[in-house]
Each structure stands twice: as C-alpha cells, then as structure tokens.
Amino acid sequence: MRSIRARTLLLVLGLLSLSMTLISYNSYRDAQHEIEELFDAQLAQTARMLAGLVGQNMSQSERTTLQSALNLALQNRQNSDDKEARAGHAYESKLAFQVLDEQGGTVLQSASAPTGALAKMVESFHQNAAGAHTPLTTEPLSSLAERLVGYHTVALEDYHWRLFMLHDRADHHLILIAEREDVRGELATKIALRSLLPDLIGLPLLALLVWLAIGWGLRPLQRMAELIKSRAPDNLAPLILEPLPIELEPMGAALNRLLMQVNQLLDQEKRFIADAAHELRTPLAVLRIHAQNAMDAPDPQDRNEALRQLGGGVERATRVVAQLLTLARLDPNVVQLAMREMDLLGYVRNELAELIPLALERHQELNLDAIEPADYVLLADGPSLGTLLQNLISNAVQYTPDGGHIQVQLEAQADTIILRVQDSGPGVAEAQREKLFERFYRLGDGQGAGLGLSIVSRVVELHHGSISLGDSPLGGLEVAVRLPRSR
C-alpha cells in the first residue's frame, strides 16, 4: 500500500473497529446478564407477592373464586374487541405461576402454567444429586421442599422454562413462578442490541470523521509535494514552506540542504568545465600548429622536429585529460571508497618500485625511509592512495633537477601515519604554497596541468586526513600527509 493516507486510515479504522467490537461484545454480554438478573428478581418478587395473597386461612370457595376470576380475566382479554379490555402485553400468556400444597396439589395457577413442572424439578434434582441413571426415590415432597427452593431451568411442553420455587413455611405452600426461556432470551437480546445501536450507527460516522481528519492532517505534505512539482528543473532555490508542521521540518530542512548541495555541485562543475576547457584550449591549439608545421615542412629534419614536438604535446594533453578524469572520479559527492585494512609500508614499497623508472629517466635517486619494525596498518582505499603517491612523486620528479634526490618517509604514530615526500628541488616560497592546491595553478614553466596537488588534497579529504607543505631537509619542498588509522 503506497498511500500514507490509505495506510493510516486502514490502520486507525482497523484498530477502532476491533476495539469497538470487543467493547460492544462485552457490553452486550454484560447487558444480557443484567437483564437476566432483573427477570430472575421479578420472578422472586412475584412469588413473594403470591405467598402474601394466597394464605392458609383462605377457604376452598375463596380459592375457587380467585382461580375463576383469573381465568375469566385472561379469557376476556383474548376474546374482547374492547381496547381497554385487551390492554396488556402479548407475552402475558408466556408467563405462569402455580401455588401448590406440600403434597403437590394445586391451590392456584395461571391458565398458561405448564403441567408437570414440579415433577420435572424433582426428577432433575435427583438426576443431579445421584446420577442420570439412578431411579427416583420416594422421598416425600415436604422433605424436598427446602432443597428445591431457588431457580431451575427445565424442559416442558417443547419449551425451556425458567422456574423459581418459594417454600412458604407459614402456609405450607410451594409457589412456582415460570417464564419461558425463548421469551426471556428474545427480550434480553432486543434490549442488549438496542444498547449497541449507537455504536453501530456511530462507527461509519466516526470513520468518515477520521478520514477527513487524516486528510486535513496530511494537507501540509500535499502542499509541499505540489510546490516541489510546480518548480522549474533549474530552480534550486530553497523551498519556502511556512508555517511548517514540526513533523515536516526535518524533511523541509533535508530538502533545502540537498538543493543547496546540488546547487554547489553544479556551480563547482560549471567552474571545473570552464577551467578545463580553458586549460585544454592551448594544448589543442599547439597540437594543431605542430601538425600543420609537420605537414608543411619541406626539410625532413624540420618535419621530424615538428613531429617530436607534436608527440610531446599529445603526451601533455593526455596527462591533462587523465588528471581531469581522476579529479572528477574523486569527487566527494559521488565517489564510494572501498575502505579496508592495509599495510601502508608494503603498499608504498610496491608503488615506488613502479615509479622508480620516472626518477631513473632523469638520473634522480628515489628511496624510502621507514623505521622497522613498526605498525603501519590503517583503514584506507588502496587505489586512491596509489593515485596520491603517483601525483606526489611525479611532481617531485618534475621539479627536481637531473641528478637530484627524492625521499619518501613513513612515520607511525598512535592514531596517525605520516607520509612525507621530500625533494632537492628549488622549493616553493611560503607565500605561494597555499596556491599550489588550486586547480590549474603551476609554478614557472612546469609542464603539468596544475592538478597534481588538487588530486592529492581530494584523496586526503576523502580519508579525513590533513596535508601541509614545508621546507625539505634536502633543500626543496616537503609534502606531509597525515592519515588517520581509522575513520
């Protein structure tokens, strides 16, 4: 899911729906339990009212009259067309009561009272007490009355009934109040479901409000995206996003920092391209002149001299292009160094062995001075260190006179290894030393492109080291490079 809004909405609504479902289910169960408790309380209350109405001192005629009145009232309600006479509830016929004597004889009962309720209670009592396959005892009902008092659930006449039995010791009556379980369940379910109705209606409304709230909360991000989308490709000015929420401030700052870095990189590349074009213009013009002279020279000796100069120009142009490519490859914004542990002393020995022919060509002496045994292990990128050493030695060879001396020193310290390249050349005045790190800056009539120390400085920067220029004990220039053992 790629949409933050959809993902957040799905997560919030999912958690909300799950929590509301659990809360609603728990509320439904609690409501249903409390309603069942209320119905049971009504059964007990009705039983006690009947116990007070039907006393032991009532004559048989009075009981017959009361029973007839109850039957007649129910019959009139069912058959009458008078609204007042039919007032009541359809569930009246599903509620019943019985008043029994201690021998089980009926004293008084409602018309809807289930038959055999007491016998079923006694049967269930014996089954629960002694096991389902134990025959019923002949224990008299009067001795079971105290143990049958309370609530029972029995199956009678295709229905399950909830029964409450009360033993009236004063009048020696057993009072049974019965209520059909399907009626109780239906009423309890309806009441409990009605308590859930606000949640069922409120959840879609709450989902809509959450959707609108998330949309409003993500509006600053949408405005930022629209602002970035509407900018021209060459517009690298900082984004103006005010006011910006706290959560988006790091993103805005990172974007502005990136735009600033891209702008600086482009400016740097523009200057580099301009300088490189200017630096290559002269060698290419000289090459064209030498080529023209070679073609126009009538004398073979002049032609050979022009071709020799042409070859030297090609070599110089090749060196300039190679250095330009090296400098571009070492750009801190794009280069990725392969840092690994290496023995710098062994690595320098191998590199100097390949560079000795440059010094021998001019009858110069190139040697390595390092204290052994010592720890020269550091974390570095081998190829870039090779480029550094090649440029330092090439510069020293170029500016040291024939028969001169070039010395490479290694010094191992606790956290740093120092590489020094010393020559016996003319040296560099202190006021000009800082300019040597500028691109295309050359001293005197040097044949280089003025990029050697720029490349060295870039390699040192990538290794988080430092570089300095000083006077060489041999009389020329000393370049000291300090490389940390670890980044």
Side-chain angles (χ1 to χ4, degrees), residues 31-101:
Q32 194 174 40
H33 175 73
E34 293 301 323
I35 294 169
E36 293 283 349
E37 293 286 338
L38 178 61
F39 285 160
D40 285 344
Q42 289 178 343
L43 291 179
Q45 185 183 40
T46 305
R48 299 190 189 280
M49 290 177 61
L50 281 175
L53 290 175
V54 183
Q56 182 70 25
N57 56 354
M58 288 184 67
S59 63
Q60 182 63 38
S61 61
E62 291 175 334
R63 294 175 183 173
T64 304
T65 302
L66 181 58
Q67 181 68 62
S68 300
L70 289 173
N71 295 337
L72 182 61
L74 180 60
Q75 183 178 2
N76 290 339
R77 181 188 176 279
Q78 293 176 345
N79 300 328
S80 177
D81 295 331
D82 184 11
K83 180 180 293 187
E84 184 176 352
R86 294 179 60 85
H89 199 278
Y91 289 155
E92 287 184 21
S93 60
K94 298 177 178 60
L95 306 177
F97 67 86
Q98 283 182 322
V99 180
L100 306 173
D101 56 27

